[in-house]
Amino acid sequence: MIIPIKKFFNFAILTKEKSSPYLPGTFLHELSHFIMAIIFGGKPRMPAILPRRLDDGRIELGRVIVRNQRWWNAFPISFAPLLLLGVGFLLQGYYFYFFEANFVYTLLYLYLVVTILESAIPSTQDMKNAISSKIGILVWVFLLLGGGYFYYCFS
């Protein structure tokens, strides 16, 4: 178990970036965008999860290029990482059914929960993409509120 952890943290040294602990979360975040883009016809390119330094000095942890972003699919593709909250909820509820409650597994559990919850936060670019179409926002908010209302009334 020591060798994979050492290799994992050596990645930060090799890339000269301090972002390797975020790789699992970045992978989940970008994977959620990728899957939603496929579902909603966004024609995504393969996600990039290795960090890179941008021209302005910021570090981009990952990206998915969506070639067919429209008014009706920008909102769900941009907010796809919020679905990771459900994954975190399931992990929280069922983790210790599969793993014993000792120190090592508890630390792993805490790392996984924090990583998943942190990767569920939409980035600034996600927010910009989501609000790129005002009509798309109105349609999706109406659908979500209407769906919640019907679920509440008829369940």
Side-chain angles (χ1 to χ4, degrees):
M1 184 166 175
I2 294 173
I3 294 172
I5 291 173
K6 185 177 179 184
K7 285 183 180 179
F8 180 73
F9 285 107
N10 280 343
F11 179 79
I13 296 168
L14 293 173
T15 60
K16 297 181 182 175
E17 306 292 350
K18 302 281 191 255
S19 57
S20 63
Y22 299 109
L23 279 178
T26 301
F27 173 75
L28 292 173
H29 183 97
E30 301 305 334
L31 182 65
S32 66
H33 287 305
F34 184 75
I35 291 171
M36 282 299 241
I38 289 173
I39 291 171
F40 285 95
K43 297 181 182 175
R45 292 189 180 161
M46 284 304 284
I49 61 166
L50 294 179
R52 68 180 183 139
R53 188 171 298 280
L54 300 176
D55 293 335
D56 61 1
R58 294 180 299 135
I59 296 174
E60 178 184 74
L61 295 178
R63 69 189 173 286
V64 173
I65 297 173
V66 177
R67 293 176 287 171
N68 189 33
Q69 182 172 318
R70 302 289 185 251
W71 68 268
W72 53 273
N73 68 4
F75 190 85
I77 293 171
S78 298
F79 285 122
L82 291 175
L83 296 174
L84 293 173
L85 294 173
V87 174
F89 181 76
L90 289 173
L91 179 70
Q92 187 271 331
Y94 294 106
Y95 181 83
F96 288 109
Y97 285 123
F98 300 104
F99 298 101
E100 60 186 67
N102 63 30
F103 182 72
V104 173
Y105 285 129
T106 302
L107 284 179
L108 178 62
Y109 165 76
L110 292 173
Y111 172 75
L112 290 173
V113 167
V114 168
T115 300
I116 289 170
L117 293 180
E118 186 177 36
S119 64
I121 300 170
S123 66
T124 305
Q125 187 61 46
D126 294 342
M127 300 298 255
K128 289 178 185 176
N129 292 341
I131 63 171
S132 63
S133 170
K134 307 298 185 237
I135 188 74
I137 293 171
L138 290 174
V139 167
W140 279 101
V141 168
F142 177 76
L143 287 173
L144 291 171
L145 290 176
Y149 175 77
F150 280 109
Y151 177 80
Y152 176 77
C153 289
F154 298 113
S155 64

